[in-house]
Amino acid sequence: MLRFYYAPRTIALASHIALEESGLDYEPIRLDFHAQQQRTAEYLAINPKGRVPSLVTERGVLTETPAILTYIAQIAPQARLSPVGDPFAFAAIQSFMAYLCSTVHPAHAHKTRGARWSDDPAVIEALKVKVPQNMADCCAMIEKEYLKGPWVMGDAFSIADLYLFAIERWLEGDGVDTTRFARLLDHRSRMNDRPAVAKVLPLH
Ligand SMILES: N[C@@H](CCC(=O)N[C@@H](CS)C(=O)NCC(=O)O)C(=O)O
């Protein structure tokens, strides 16, 4: 059976909902970040990066949200979480997920994880101050270039929506004035209506 490591209020939410949408059998294992459980020797043996999510499969451990989401979509094709036989549509989803992983998520991490980038308290503070603007710029880019509506890929719901939803839940806390982004708010509210989301959210 798959084992899924997550912590509340993290990007692991996207993969957690994907598992629920997929109908696959999995065991969720919650880490307590307040107790620094992501840094224990036991967990570092699973994910040496000390981050969540991690998915333990019979073939080994997968880390990194785009990889985990793609894997879940491919082993549960009946859930139709990503396009089959359409290389362009599949690549478009990868493009979006790469943007979230490489740009949007790090822009959010500057709020509380600035020490990854600098040891200088002034630099760490400066990174934090820039979070609302950077995240708002990312929202504008997503609305303009990616979110076709009602779902990211248009009419077809996909793993791209799960990834976006996990990040949408951070926006107010990141100081973004979400009233500027009506299409993202509409997307978030549609996501909240999904049964898999209702099942997983209380754990996050
Ligand atoms: N690129 C990774 C990022 C994972 C990541 O940074 N997760 C954060 C939570 S959102 C984490 O585990 N942080 C723990 C720490 O920094 O100690 C992914 O997409 O899965």
Side-chain angles (χ1 to χ4, degrees), residues 29-121:
I29 301 163
R30 179 187 176 117
L31 297 185
D32 182 352
F33 274 11
H34 295 299
Q36 300 286 309
Q37 281 182 337
Q38 76 273 35
R39 308 237 160 90
T40 61
E42 189 189 0
Y43 186 65
L44 290 174
I46 294 163
N47 182 349
K49 290 176 271 195
R51 309 260 188 108
V52 293
S54 299
L55 185 67
V56 182
T57 81
E58 59 188 18
R59 293 189 50 193
V61 180
L62 286 173
T63 62
E64 301 298 329
T65 298
I68 293 173
L69 289 174
T70 302
Y71 178 71
I72 293 168
Q74 293 198 353
I75 64 170
Q78 71 288 349
R80 303 172 72 88
L81 294 172
S82 85
V84 177
D86 184 343
F88 187 85
F90 185 72
I93 289 181
Q94 298 304 316
S95 165
F96 182 58
M97 297 203 302
Y99 177 61
L100 298 186
C101 195
S102 66
T103 302
V104 187
H105 190 169
H108 158 83
H110 288 165
K111 186 176 67 173
T112 53
R113 303 285 188 195
R116 284 183 197 156
W117 289 276
S118 177
D119 295 321
D120 181 340

